[in-house]
Amino acid sequence: QVQLVESGGGSVQTGGTLRLSCAASGYPDNSYCMGWFRQYPGEEREAIARIFVNGSISYSEAVKGRFTISQDSTKKTAFLQMNSLKPEDTAMYYCAADPIAATPWGPRCRSHFDYWGQGTKVTVSS
């Protein structure tokens, strides 16, 4: 079955950096779309970064310019480089994956994700 395992979370001071990793298993190389989400206590998960089939990337406004998403060549390991961290970045961070969809217009990433990791905690202190 599909499994996603995040790592790299921790505690840093304002302005610090962290690099999150997400290792996926249970599906063929280059067959899934991946993204990163975060969740504050009592709130819904919010998308912060994702990579599309054509390699394009989207970021939320809150992290644009500070965070960078990347993948390895198999597209089964995703990374989130987080720079210039702020206290408001304190949250649980989740990796997500979803099968690439075959459409009349070619392969596409869907708008939702079916598979999730267990999350990794990021704490940024002021």
Side-chain angles (χ1 to χ4, degrees), residues 83-95:
N83 300 330
S84 303
L85 283 161
K86 306 175 181 179
E88 52 264 44
D89 295 319
T90 296
M92 282 294 290
Y93 284 72
Y94 296 90
C95 172

Side-chain angles (χ1 to χ4, degrees), residues 97-112:
D98 192 69
I100 294 173
T103 76
W105 304 276
R108 292 287 188 272
C109 293
R110 298 188 298 180
S111 60
H112 65 276

Side-chain angles (χ1 to χ4, degrees), residues 34-55:
M34 298 185 78
W36 286 96
F37 289 69
R38 68 184 180 189
Q39 186 173 26
Y40 300 113
E43 298 187 16
E44 294 186 358
R45 290 178 190 176
E46 61 177 24
I48 56 173
R50 62 177 300 176
I51 300 178
F52 295 90
V53 172
N54 63 0

Side-chain angles (χ1 to χ4, degrees), residues 10-118:
S11 297
V12 296
Q13 293 188 326
T14 298
T17 65
L18 284 173
R19 181 176 171 86
L20 305 184
S21 298
C22 173
S25 61
Y27 59 81
D29 294 354
N30 299 302
S31 63
Y32 275 51
C33 299
M34 298 185 78
W36 286 96
F37 289 69
R38 68 184 180 189
Q39 186 173 26
Y40 300 113
E43 298 187 16
E44 294 186 358
R45 290 178 190 176
E46 61 177 24
I48 56 173
R50 62 177 300 176
I51 300 178
F52 295 90
V53 172
N54 63 0
S56 64
I57 292 172
S58 69
Y59 295 99
S60 69
E61 287 299 319
V63 307
K64 192 178 295 184
R66 299 186 299 121
F67 291 10
T68 302
I69 186 173
S70 62
Q71 286 181 299
D72 70 350
S73 59
T74 67
K75 298 184 180 179
K76 292 177 69 174
T77 302
F79 305 96
L80 187 67
Q81 178 68 41
M82 305 188 295
N83 300 330
S84 303
L85 283 161
K86 306 175 181 179
E88 52 264 44
D89 295 319
T90 296
M92 282 294 290
Y93 284 72
Y94 296 90
C95 172
D98 192 69
I100 294 173
T103 76
W105 304 276
R108 292 287 188 272
C109 293
R110 298 188 298 180
S111 60
H112 65 276
F113 290 85
D114 279 348
Y115 300 97
W116 297 85
Q118 81 288 352

